[in-house]
Amino acid sequence: MPLMNVFHDGDGFPRIVLADPSGSSAEVLLYGGQVVSWKNERREELLFMSSKAIWKPPKAIRGGIPVFFPQFGNLGTSERNGFARNKFWTIDSDPSPLPPSNNHSSVDLLLKSTDEDLKIWPRSFELRLRVSLSAGKLTLIPRVRNTDTKPFSFTFALRNYLSVSDISEVRVEGLETLDYLDNLMRRERFTEQADAITFDGEVDRIYLSSPQKIAIIDHEKKRTFVLRKDGMPDAGMWNPWDKRAKTVPDLGYEDYKTMLCVDSAVTETPIVLKPSEEWKGYQELSTVSSSYCSGQLDPRKVLYGF
């Protein structure tokens, strides 16, 4: 039977611990609705957490999977990356039936607009997030409902801080030939020329109309993260490298070497919801033990020709 426990830590952050019979686990905070840990069946941590993360509201926690709503980045009238990541959410006591549910350990979280939120962003909404754990997989299903009397628009992202052995040994496949906005070049638009993306300096990009499947290959660990997404067409990518890392107060100087952010995002074309309409996204993270994996090709077909 899948397990879910709620713990109240000394740091004042109630956390939900999901466990799977395979031995994998995930931890989700009510603060920010944020996944802060995902461990595989060998108890290896798959998500990056900053060595200098600030565990104190109203600060955002750097690492894990923060939720960016009602805006991603600084495009909009709300604060940068929105306010959902530094609010306390509640457990949704009456979740609607959503797959996946069978044999998955899951929790449904809810954030409703408060009077305080309405001052920052005058739209009434309900934001729901289902976090599901199964053997080798972590699934997040975000939903936004317009509970206002007027239409509103928003941008959104799930920022995935992935734990890698060495950023200079990582490559990302599935984003070849795509257009991207480069935040280091005043959001100028470029086309990706590389066969696979590798890292030798700061990167802060949004790849547009990206495929549903992206592979993040960690050569040293012989591990590939596979990110599958739906309803979130864009893909953010961020690593601050050494100089920028020194300017980020809640990031350790060396932390950039063991992290890569690959985000599921809606940014270029905001979602517009009429009153009582709902938007739904989907993200699934899984890992494959392999030294070769491609976002476009089935490795077995490549290796064995079938």
Side-chain angles (χ1 to χ4, degrees), residues 45-57:
E45 181 57 67
L46 301 171
L47 299 178
F48 164 87
M49 184 59 68
S50 168
S51 62
K52 287 188 177 174
I54 299 166
W55 298 78
K56 205 169 185 181

Side-chain angles (χ1 to χ4, degrees), residues 64-81:
I65 309 178
V67 178
F68 294 169
F69 171 88
Q71 78 180 45
F72 179 29
N74 51 12
L75 293 171
T77 54
S78 178
E79 62 191 85
R80 183 181 175 80
N81 292 328

Side-chain angles (χ1 to χ4, degrees), residues 64-266:
I65 309 178
V67 178
F68 294 169
F69 171 88
Q71 78 180 45
F72 179 29
N74 51 12
L75 293 171
T77 54
S78 178
E79 62 191 85
R80 183 181 175 80
N81 292 328
F83 50 74
R85 63 190 179 140
N86 44 25
K87 301 280 182 195
F88 278 96
W89 298 41
T90 57
I91 292 178
D92 190 353
S93 53
D94 187 25
S96 57
L98 278 179
S101 54
N102 294 352
N103 300 323
H104 287 188
S105 178
S106 64
V107 63
D108 290 272
L109 301 177
L110 172 63
L111 181 69
K112 289 185 177 184
S113 45
T114 63
D115 292 345
E116 197 184 327
D117 299 333
L118 292 167
K119 285 178 201 157
I120 308 168
W121 195 61
R123 326 272 189 286
S124 178
F125 68 88
E126 289 175 358
L127 168 55
R128 288 179 165 79
L129 180 68
R130 167 168 289 191
V131 182
S132 271
L133 177 76
S134 59
K137 269 183 201 168
L138 181 68
T139 304
L140 281 77
I141 302 176
R143 290 180 294 148
V144 176
R145 181 175 289 280
N146 181 345
T147 54
D148 212 288
T149 54
K150 295 193 284 287
F152 64 65
S153 67
F154 64 93
T155 53
F156 185 91
L158 295 172
R159 164 149 283 180
N160 301 297
Y161 280 89
L162 303 175
S163 173
V164 298
S165 50
D166 178 354
I167 185 64
S168 55
E169 295 291 316
V170 170
R171 84 174 195 266
V172 178
E173 294 189 5
L175 302 174
E176 308 79 35
T177 72
L178 295 187
D179 281 6
Y180 65 87
L181 304 177
D182 193 333
N183 290 322
L184 303 178
M185 305 276 284
R186 297 185 299 282
R187 294 183 68 83
E188 211 178 311
R189 196 178 184 117
F190 295 93
T191 301
E192 183 56 66
Q193 305 294 338
D195 290 341
I197 297 157
T198 55
F199 302 90
D200 59 5
E202 184 182 357
V203 61
D204 187 356
R205 297 174 180 173
I206 297 165
Y207 286 84
L208 306 170
S209 306
S210 59
Q212 290 188 324
K213 188 172 156 190
I214 300 165
I216 299 99
I217 299 148
D218 187 341
H219 290 293
E220 213 165 287
K221 282 209 169 108
K222 292 194 167 35
R223 173 194 292 150
T224 295
F225 286 99
V226 181
L227 170 62
R228 287 185 176 84
K229 59 194 183 61
D230 196 26
M232 295 182 277
D234 307 317
M237 189 177 290
W238 182 64
N239 183 292
W241 221 253
D242 55 349
K243 285 194 183 73
R244 177 101 174 99
K246 290 187 171 75
T247 71
V248 181
D250 60 347
L251 191 68
Y253 289 168
E254 301 284 303
D255 281 359
Y256 76 92
K257 293 178 179 175
T258 56
M259 61 157 274
L260 176 64
C261 290
V262 183
D263 314 330
S264 299
V266 180

